[in-house]
């Protein structure tokens, strides 16, 4: 069938199709804080195809009306746009609640009937998007029952897709098992593993920066780049997620997914085209090329830390072990710093330093690319302190890009100091960036998997992470401590100091 | 540097040869608390007496979302001698939390037309594209020097006294700009943008798409004086569906690809540029109409005679500042626009 000729010149992206979005875990935080506000914003911007319907699937008894009222209240709180009554009522007409236990097979049979009914009434034409916002241990019964009800298969020429939220397992074995469970009901083409970092405007801009600007790519290699730092710092502690965090820790919670995804975008080769698999193929090669560490190397190149009581911005905060639902003797890490090496030609022996941590002085996620110093001649001859050029890609907050260069201080004597050229999204563009979930939901509805993680990517990432976890399990790396409100344990500074480097000051 | 009298909102009067120096002073007065931002040069040209103040108000709204250096020019083409006066000003808006983002406006009052290009070229922010919003009638001969610098030409064809001759001049300007691709941004075309989105979305679904070739009747209701807007909309559908115009005069009708007749009815009532649209096949009816609140569109598609549930889509605002803002957000060349114009040009005379 030919494309819609009326779309020519109106849109440059694949057009999403109306569908029924079934959210498992519809009464949870993710649905209220992220998913429904994202869908509402899409509706308000005219991006959501008319007819799009949301069915919330959860245990608690609730009427459609109660569900809508609850969602309206939370959307008012969390939406980036003000909730307008007229738009909300049009949007809310497509919100339904389906009460069932995840294990109850009959709940899925009735869901199938409800979806058929929605197809007929709202024109969703057999298109179904199942969103797993439930705990991972619930995935198996949900998938099994979806399959039994025939909901994993496309119907009436429509499509059936599933979005899986992280964590995608807790190690390679469990990731494989989880992927196997998903694969028993949905093919890889139907499966969308969401990593909201990839939906952020600045993360997408990394590829544009690298491959739409001729000046960067020739110097984007070990000949010119000294090292790269990727930082995700949070002022927050574990808040109400103590129970989950105890089973995860910073390495699994942040490094395995978000940090490695960012690393891939920075380090990948140019893809042959912009198709989802072309990009994901290149990302996969990066993860595969990450040097695996033995126990001694884990001790040498990875630092794990946990925050103790301290102060954030003048306010006292408890230590991790004093947090709610946290074991008072917990050895879970809230901070990780590591030195990764990508064993390929482009990145040969260029260290990629990654640090993530909770209860650090500032919240900031960024990538900084540190270029090699100018040769020690001319201006550099008598001045060993002449700095490096640093290209910083700020992911959040204050999204943007800056480049540090050297400049002469005005005056008769020759003094050289670093200056910063700064581009900020918020300053340059008045239009607010869409939330990551808006972009990702739209992509899943359009069948564009570019910003979703593929099975092999996820498993390779776990294979890398497992070597570190194994090292820790064998006592390679004793837990270190840092007071809340500081930039992490001293050992993290030493990790870079050994290489003659230091962390970028944020 | 206090602005006075009539020029209060266009800023402080300055000597032409000290504009850059006075701009520096203006920024220095901000004590570093202001962030200066600029992504484009936006030149606004008018021959309407007293237009500087009105355009300054428009610019202030546009700058809320678009950081640019603006050059607002009011020309008296009939003046006996050539003379220029200048003012500078900054528009600041709180954005990105609590940051004061500011852009500068340079205003010029020109007697005679000779100084336009030199004044413009002397005050462009280097390396940034030039968007020229031409609010006057285009006249021959065109200054080739000017057009080679223009990246986008913004105009409103609804205001044109003679569509065909003005369009030819626009195309001539575009040829002057070659090999640079000067993008044509007709604000009258922008007026139909949200209706285009709303109508196009009906046919994203492959089943509905078949109906495109079965449309038998189009009914468009536009505001008084907006017949050209409605015609552009109809021209767009006709061009994209490869319909051919039947006859040279009204009533407007087309033959579709299967050589079946498509009747078009355009009526004028109310003040909204486009109020509603109905496309009918034998069995199905697609409706788009502006909702009462004004900035939303109600869309509904259903079998003929069946009451269907409507949905709401953004309808946009149709005031000039909103239209220009919309244009500044969009990129790319306007192949579809040219195609639409070609289809209905003879009716726009």
């Amino acid at each position: 069938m030919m494309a819609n000729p009326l779309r020519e010149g109106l849109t440059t992206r694949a057009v999403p199709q109306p569908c029924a979005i079934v959210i498992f875990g519809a009464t949870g935080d993710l649905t209220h804080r992220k998913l429904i506000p994202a869908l509402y914003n899409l509706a308000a911007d005219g991006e959501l195809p008319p007819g799009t319907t949301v069915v919330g699937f959860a245990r608690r008894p609730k009427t459609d009306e109660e569900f809508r009222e609850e969602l309206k209240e939370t959307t008012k709180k969390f939406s980036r746009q003000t909730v307008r009554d007229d738009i909300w009522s049009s949007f809310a007409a497509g919100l339904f609640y389906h009460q069932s236990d995840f294990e109850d097979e009959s709940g899925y049979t009735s869901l199938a009937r409800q979806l058929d009914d929605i197809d007929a009434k709202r024109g969703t034409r057999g298109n179904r998007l199942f969103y797993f916002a439930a705990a991972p241990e619930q995935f198996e019964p949900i998938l099994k029952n979806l399959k039994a009800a025939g909901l994993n298969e496309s119907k009436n020429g429509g499509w059936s897709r599933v979005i899986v939220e992280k964590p995608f397992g807790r190690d390679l074995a469990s990731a494989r098992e989880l992927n196997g469970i998903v694969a028993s009901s949905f093919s890889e083409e139907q499966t969308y593993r969401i990593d909201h970092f990839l939906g952020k405007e600045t993360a997408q801009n990394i590829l544009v920066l690298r491959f739409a600007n001729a000046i960067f790519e020739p110097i984007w290699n070990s000949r010119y780049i000294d090292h790269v730092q990727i930082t995700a710092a949070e002022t927050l502690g574990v808040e109400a997620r103590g129970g989950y965090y105890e089973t995860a820790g910073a390495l699994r919670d942040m490094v395995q997914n978000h940090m490695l995804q960012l690393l891939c975008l920075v380090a990948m080769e140019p893809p042959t085209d912009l198709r989802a698999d072309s990009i994901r193929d290149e990302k996969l090669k990066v993860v595969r090329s990450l040097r695996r560490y033995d126990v001694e190397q884990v001790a040498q190149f990875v630092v794990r830390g946990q925050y103790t009581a301290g102060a954030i911005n003048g306010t006292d905060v408890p230590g991790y072990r004093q947090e709610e639902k946290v074991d008072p003797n917990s050895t879970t890490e809230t901070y990780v710093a590591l030195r990764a090496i990508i064993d390929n030609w482009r990145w040969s022996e260029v260290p990629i330093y990654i640090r993530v941590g909770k209860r650090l002085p500032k919240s900031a996620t960024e990538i900084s690319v540190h270029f090699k110093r100018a040769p020690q001649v001319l201006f550099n001859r008598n001045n060993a302190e002449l700095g490096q050029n640093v290209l910083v890609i700020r992911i959040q907050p204050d999204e943007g890009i800056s480049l540090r260069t050297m400049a002469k201080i005005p005056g008769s004597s020759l003094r050289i100091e670093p200056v910063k050229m700064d581009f900020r999204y918020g300053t340059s563009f008045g239009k607010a960036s869409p939330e990551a979930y808006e972009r990702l939901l739209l992509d899943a509805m359009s069948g564009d998997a570019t910003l979703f993680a593929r099975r092999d990517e996820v498993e390779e990432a776990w294979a890398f992470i497992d070597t570190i976890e194994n090292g820790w399990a064998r006592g390679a790396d004793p837990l270190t401590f840092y007071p809340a409100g500081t930039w992490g344990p001293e050992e993290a500074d030493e990790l870079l100091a050994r290489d003659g480097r230091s962390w970028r000051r944020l | 540097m206090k602005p006075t009298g009539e020029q209060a909102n266009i800023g402080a009067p300055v000597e032409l040869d000290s504009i850059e120096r006075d701009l520096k002073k203006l920024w220095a007065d901000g004590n570093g608390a202001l962030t200066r931002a600029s992504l484009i040069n936006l030149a606004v040209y008018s021959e309407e007496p007293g237009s500087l103040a009105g355009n300054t108000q428009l610019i202030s709204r546009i700058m809320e979302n678009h950081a640019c250096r603006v050059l607002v020019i009011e020309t008296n083409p009939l003046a006996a001698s050539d003379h220029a006066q200048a003012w500078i000003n900054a528009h600041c808006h709180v954005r990105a939390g609590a940051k004061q983002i500011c852009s500068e406006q340079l205003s010029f009052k020109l007697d005679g037309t000779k100084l336009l290009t030199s004044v413009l070229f002397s005050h462009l922010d280097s390396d940034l594209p030039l968007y020229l919003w031409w609010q006057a009638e285009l006249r021959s001969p065109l200054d080739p020097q000017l057009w080679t610098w223009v990246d986008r030409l913004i105009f409103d064809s609804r205001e044109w006294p003679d569509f065909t001759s003005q369009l030819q001049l626009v195309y001539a300007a575009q040829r002057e700009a070659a090999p640079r691709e000067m993008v044509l941004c007709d604000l009258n075309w922008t007026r139909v943008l949200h209706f285009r989105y709303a109508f196009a979305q009906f046919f994203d679904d492959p089943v509905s798409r078949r109906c495109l070739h079965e449309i038998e009747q189009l009914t468009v209701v536009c505001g008084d004086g907006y017949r050209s807007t409605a015609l552009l909309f109809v021209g767009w559908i006709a061009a994209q569906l490869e319909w051919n115009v039947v006859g040279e005069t009204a009533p407007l009708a087309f033959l579709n690809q299967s050589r079946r007749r498509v009747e078009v009815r355009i009526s004028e009532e109310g003040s909204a540029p486009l109020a509603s649209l109905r496309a009918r096949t034998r069995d199905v009816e697609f409706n788009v109409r502006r909702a009462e609140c004004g900035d939303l569109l109600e869309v509904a598609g259903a079998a003929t005679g069946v009451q269907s549930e409507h949905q709401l889509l953004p309808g946009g605002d149709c005031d000039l500042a909103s239209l220009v803002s919309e244009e500044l957000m969009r990129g790319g060349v306007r192949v579809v626009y040219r195609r639409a114009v070609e289809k209905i040009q003879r009716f726009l005379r």
Side-chain angles (χ1 to χ4, degrees):
Chain A
M1 183 82 184
M2 62 159 194
N4 179 358
L6 299 182
R7 281 286 179 186
E8 186 184 355
L10 279 180
T11 182
T12 52
R13 51 162 298 138
V15 177
Q17 293 161 26
C19 64
I21 304 170
V22 181
I23 304 176
F24 294 98
T27 52
D29 249 17
L30 183 68
T31 306
H32 285 78
R33 284 170 178 261
K34 296 288 180 188
L35 301 183
I36 298 298
L39 288 165
Y40 170 79
N41 281 315
L42 289 172
D45 288 344
E47 302 267 19
L48 204 63
T52 301
T53 303
V54 177
V55 179
F57 189 114
R59 272 180 225 120
R60 293 178 214 163
K62 212 180 289 269
T63 64
D64 289 341
E65 240 359 274
E66 286 167 341
F67 186 52
R68 287 168 188 162
E69 273 310 305
E70 282 175 17
L71 293 177
K72 186 175 183 181
E73 287 314 304
T74 48
T75 303
K76 276 182 182 169
K77 213 162 140 190
F78 298 112
S79 165
R80 74 177 162 86
Q81 297 186 66
T82 310
V83 173
R84 283 177 55 165
D85 285 341
D86 44 9
I87 298 176
W88 177 265
S89 56
S90 166
F91 172 70
L95 295 177
F96 300 94
Y97 189 75
H98 187 89
Q99 192 252 320
S100 172
D101 273 343
F102 294 143
E103 294 81 8
D104 181 3
E105 208 177 315
S106 67
Y108 294 78
T109 321
S110 54
L111 174 68
R113 278 199 304 273
Q114 186 177 3
L115 293 178
D116 287 343
D117 195 39
I118 286 167
D119 283 344
K121 286 185 179 150
R122 295 184 55 83
T124 43
R125 303 197 187 281
N127 297 328
R128 285 105 166 76
L129 183 61
F130 299 103
Y131 200 113
F132 286 22
E137 55 271 22
Q138 307 286 0
F139 289 4
E140 191 166 4
I142 297 171
L143 285 159
K144 199 183 89 199
N145 287 324
L146 280 175
K147 191 178 180 182
L151 287 168
N152 58 330
E153 286 166 5
S154 48
K155 197 175 174 182
N156 304 329
W159 45 258
S160 188
R161 297 176 189 141
V162 61
I163 298 183
V164 186
E165 265 285 340
K166 71 160 198 171
F168 316 123
R170 61 184 319 278
D171 53 24
L172 178 57
S174 60
R176 280 185 177 151
E177 190 187 334
L178 180 64
N179 281 329
I181 292 167
V182 176
S184 65
S185 299
F186 291 90
S187 68
E188 185 59 28
E189 288 70 36
Q190 292 175 289
T191 307
Y192 292 70
R193 294 174 194 82
I194 203 163
D195 184 331
H196 72 269
F197 260 54
L198 291 180
K200 289 181 186 293
E201 204 74 45
T202 26
Q204 293 163 47
N205 196 37
I206 295 171
L207 294 190
V208 176
L209 177 83
R210 288 190 55 199
F211 302 131
N213 294 291
I215 60 167
F216 294 117
E217 201 46 29
I219 56 170
W220 209 260
N221 55 51
S222 60
R223 188 165 172 196
Y224 297 100
I225 293 178
D226 178 68
H227 72 283
V228 177
Q229 298 182 16
I230 305 178
T231 300
E234 285 180 277
T235 53
L236 291 176
V238 288
E239 311 300 304
R241 295 169 70 222
Y244 159 73
Y245 209 80
E246 275 289 89
T247 64
L251 188 68
R252 291 190 182 104
D253 187 49
M254 289 292 290
V255 180
Q256 185 273 339
N257 36 64
H258 307 322
M259 294 295 100
L260 291 188
Q261 286 291 348
L262 292 181
L263 183 149
C264 286
L265 293 175
V266 169
M268 66 187 264
E269 295 297 318
T272 49
D273 53 49
L274 292 175
R275 283 182 307 163
D277 276 335
S278 305
I279 292 173
R280 298 192 296 181
D281 286 345
E282 295 305 331
K283 282 163 60 193
L284 176 65
K285 286 181 200 164
V286 175
V287 194
R288 273 200 186 134
S289 308
L290 281 172
R291 189 178 294 173
R292 290 350 185 209
Y293 290 146
D294 58 29
V295 178
E296 287 74 30
Q297 287 169 318
V298 169
Q300 198 181 347
F301 298 128
V302 187
V303 175
R304 57 197 294 248
Q306 188 187 81
Y307 63 84
T308 56
I312 298 281
N313 199 18
T315 305
D316 288 338
V317 293
Y320 177 70
R321 290 177 176 177
Q322 287 80 54
E323 299 274 16
E324 208 181 312
K325 295 182 191 165
V326 170
D327 179 352
N329 299 311
S330 173
T331 55
T332 301
E333 80 285 356
T334 59
Y335 179 99
V336 175
L338 67 92
R339 179 189 194 271
I341 293 288
I342 301 168
D343 281 323
N344 65 18
W345 275 49
R346 183 189 286 267
W347 294 104
S348 172
E349 299 307 323
V350 176
I352 316 276
Y353 299 103
I354 295 174
R355 63 174 160 169
V356 300
K358 288 193 171 292
R359 288 281 189 229
L360 301 185
K362 261 189 188 176
S363 286
T365 302
E366 63 156 51
I367 299 159
S368 55
V369 180
H370 299 245
F371 291 89
K372 288 185 174 164
R373 286 170 209 276
Q376 287 206 304
V377 291
L378 302 176
F379 302 118
N380 234 354
R381 190 191 296 276
N382 301 317
N383 188 353
E385 295 304 308
L386 204 59
Q388 294 170 302
N389 298 122
V390 182
L391 178 73
V392 178
I393 303 164
R394 291 188 302 273
I395 307 292
Q396 64 183 19
D398 204 11
E399 295 90 335
I401 295 165
S402 70
L403 178 64
R404 190 172 76 168
T405 57
M406 296 300 134
K408 179 186 173 298
I409 304 270
S412 51
S413 63
L414 181 64
R415 276 184 59 210
I416 297 173
E417 291 289 338
V419 291
K420 198 163 80 168
M421 292 190 268
D422 207 353
F423 154 68
R424 291 159 193 254
Y425 270 84
T427 303
S428 296
F429 302 113
K431 192 183 178 192
S433 298
E435 291 282 333
Y437 277 96
E438 293 173 34
R439 169 67 197 259
L440 294 170
L441 281 163
L442 214 53
D443 280 0
M445 292 164 74
S446 316
D448 181 353
T450 310
L451 301 178
F452 293 85
R454 208 169 56 188
R455 176 178 183 159
D456 46 7
E457 266 183 273
V458 170
E459 292 181 3
E460 279 295 338
W462 275 121
F464 172 72
I465 294 296
D466 274 5
T467 58
I468 298 172
E469 289 282 358
N470 292 342
W472 287 354
R474 293 196 212 169
D477 222 357
L479 187 66
T480 57
F481 296 92
Y482 62 99
T486 65
W487 279 108
E490 284 171 15
E491 286 80 353
D493 294 334
E494 285 161 18
L495 177 74
L496 270 75
R498 283 202 298 269
D499 296 341
R501 302 183 177 103
S502 59
W503 291 108
R504 209 177 93 78
R505 288 186 194 174
L506 297 180
Chain B
M1 228 170 52
K2 286 229 165 99
T4 53
E6 179 210 340
Q7 279 81 41
N9 57 359
I10 61 170
V14 290
E15 294 299 323
L16 238 82
D17 56 6
S18 70
I19 286 181
E20 292 302 326
R21 197 173 55 234
D22 285 327
L23 277 172
K24 274 184 198 148
K25 260 170 42 190
L26 186 77
W27 291 113
D29 288 349
N31 293 323
L34 311 174
T35 301
R36 176 179 170 266
S38 186
L39 292 180
I40 51 171
N41 290 296
L42 175 63
V44 186
Y45 178 86
S46 172
E47 292 176 358
E48 184 77 29
S51 61
L52 283 185
N55 275 328
T56 299
Q57 280 177 6
L58 284 175
I59 288 306
S60 176
R61 285 192 51 210
I62 292 166
M63 280 182 176
E64 286 174 19
N65 288 316
H66 302 278
C68 46
R69 171 179 274 204
V70 178
L71 298 100
V72 182
I73 300 160
E74 180 191 314
T75 299
N76 174 9
L78 303 175
S81 60
D82 294 297
H83 175 68
Q85 289 171 270
W87 295 263
I88 57 167
N89 195 6
H91 297 269
C92 296
H93 301 281
V94 177
R95 216 192 280 165
K99 287 193 189 78
Q100 281 262 68
I101 310 298
C102 300
S103 293
E104 55 209 11
Q105 175 183 330
L106 285 62
S107 305
F108 300 95
K109 212 170 196 172
L110 306 183
D111 286 336
T113 53
K114 279 190 194 156
L115 297 175
L116 171 64
T117 307
S118 71
V119 162
L120 196 61
F121 285 5
S122 299
H123 299 102
L124 295 177
D125 222 342
S126 55
D127 247 355
L128 295 179
L130 169 61
Y131 294 3
L132 176 58
W133 180 6
W134 195 269
Q135 297 178 343
E137 193 179 330
L138 283 160
R139 274 186 295 270
S140 194
L142 297 163
D143 179 353
Q145 246 197 317
L146 171 67
W147 301 107
T148 50
W149 276 72
V150 177
D151 294 279
R152 286 199 204 189
L153 175 63
I154 303 171
F155 54 92
D156 188 352
S157 67
R158 181 176 163 257
E159 304 289 331
W160 284 348
D162 178 337
F163 188 90
T164 307
S165 67
Q166 289 293 291
L167 186 70
Q168 275 165 4
L169 283 168
V170 165
Y171 286 165
Q174 206 175 26
R175 282 193 297 275
E176 296 284 3
R180 182 196 290 265
E181 180 81 47
M182 185 175 82
V183 178
L184 304 183
C185 305
D186 183 353
L187 298 179
N188 207 23
W189 177 242
T190 318
R191 286 188 184 96
V192 305
L193 179 69
H194 289 280
F195 265 76
R196 285 169 61 208
Y197 273 115
F199 188 59
Q201 57 81 29
F202 285 123
F203 308 101
D204 289 332
D205 173 59
V207 178
S208 303
R209 205 170 303 151
R210 289 190 205 113
C211 298
L212 273 177
H213 304 289
E214 293 162 10
I215 293 173
E216 295 176 342
Q217 193 182 77
L218 274 180
T219 307
V220 183
V221 179
C222 61
D224 289 329
Y226 286 96
R227 187 177 161 77
S228 61
T229 314
L231 277 169
L232 275 177
F233 184 80
V234 171
W236 164 65
I237 298 178
Q240 294 307 103
L241 300 183
E242 297 177 37
W243 295 349
N244 290 311
V245 181
V246 181
E248 292 286 321
T249 53
L252 186 56
F254 295 91
L255 287 182
N256 71 11
Q257 280 178 299
S258 317
R259 302 199 56 76
R260 280 203 292 268
R261 195 175 169 87
V262 182
E263 300 289 345
V264 178
R265 292 177 193 162
I266 297 175
S267 57
E268 296 179 50
E269 61 183 69
S271 57
L274 283 185
S276 70
L277 155 78
R278 190 173 68 221
R280 293 177 72 162
T281 72
R282 206 175 59 180
D283 309 313
V284 189
E285 202 172 279
F286 301 96
N287 285 291
V288 181
R289 71 180 185 91
R290 197 163 274 278
E292 275 173 25
C293 62
D295 64 343
L296 294 173
L297 299 178
E298 292 177 1
V299 299
T304 309
V306 173
Q307 184 69 32
S308 67
E309 203 176 315
H310 72 250
Q311 307 236 5
L312 294 175
L313 290 177
D317 291 317
C318 287
D319 61 278
L320 275 178
S322 302
L323 292 173
V324 173
S325 288
E326 187 78 60
E327 271 306 322
L328 299 184
M329 288 299 297
R330 306 176 68 228
V333 291
R334 302 295 156 84
V335 182
V336 178
Y337 167 71
R338 285 189 74 145
R339 237 185 261 149
V341 167
E342 278 163 26
K343 217 39 119 177
I344 39 80
Q345 194 176 335
R346 67 186 81 167
F347 299 96
L348 284 167
R349 272 195 291 258

